[in-house]
């Protein structure tokens, strides 16, 4: 099962990276603007990133490796809250608004929800 899941994640990553090489990546500012305008495609994109990071943390847990970020115990961070974390991160580091949204999202989550 572990090998299958790992292989599946690698294949998905390759498919996504080859697709993104053909498309312009969203910047964090573009994603935040689309989210504010309630654009369904942007909301779905950010929800997917949020879920992907949660799955990545679950995989790291199973491998007994450090998490990317740590949610408080007995609390589930919603997509709206994750986006708000990214929004505050970009407000404090305006240059991060021009970074690819995935990178900005991950760094914002790591800084807002560090593992101790």
């Amino acid at each position: 099962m572990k090998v299958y899941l790992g292989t599946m994640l690698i294949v998905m990553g390759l498919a996504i990276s080859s697709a993104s090489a053909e498309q312009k990546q969203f910047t964090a500012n573009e994603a935040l603007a689309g989210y504010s305008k309630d654009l369904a495609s942007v909301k779905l994109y950010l929800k997917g990133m949020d879920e992907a990071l949660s799955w990545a943390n679950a995989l790291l847990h199973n491998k007994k490796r450090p998490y990317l970020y740590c949610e408080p115990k007995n609390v589930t961070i919603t997509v709206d809250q994750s986006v708000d974390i990214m929004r505050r991160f970009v407000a404090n580091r305006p240059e991060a608004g021009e970074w690819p949204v995935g990178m900005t999202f991950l760094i914002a989550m790591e800084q807002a929800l560090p593992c101790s």
Side-chain angles (χ1 to χ4, degrees):
M1 179 67 175
K2 288 181 183 179
V3 173
Y4 174 75
L5 182 59
T7 303
M8 188 173 73
L9 288 173
I10 290 169
V11 169
M12 287 173 49
L14 291 173
I16 291 169
S17 59
S18 67
S20 65
E22 298 168 7
Q23 300 174 351
K24 179 188 174 292
Q25 290 187 356
F26 278 122
T27 65
N29 283 337
E30 291 167 333
L32 290 170
Y35 199 82
S36 295
K37 292 177 184 171
D38 207 27
L39 295 178
S41 60
V42 175
K43 285 191 167 220
L44 184 61
Y45 185 82
L46 292 174
K47 182 176 177 16
M49 274 198 318
D50 189 58
E51 287 184 19
L53 290 179
S54 292
W55 280 110
N57 266 347
L59 185 62
L60 290 169
H61 174 76
N62 286 336
K63 291 182 172 191
K64 298 181 179 13
R65 294 178 60 195
Y67 292 162
L68 298 171
Y69 61 90
C70 295
E71 292 183 8
K73 290 184 189 246
N74 303 320
V75 174
T76 300
I77 305 292
T78 67
V79 176
D80 287 337
Q81 290 169 323
S82 295
V83 171
D84 188 55
I85 288 169
M86 183 171 67
R87 187 183 322 277
R88 285 184 277 129
F89 177 75
V90 169
N92 289 325
R93 279 188 81 171
E95 72 276 9
E98 297 306 316
W99 299 346
V101 65
M103 182 174 77
T104 306
F105 197 87
L106 175 58
I107 294 171
M109 296 298 283
E110 283 179 322
Q111 288 191 7
L113 303 167
C115 301
S116 36

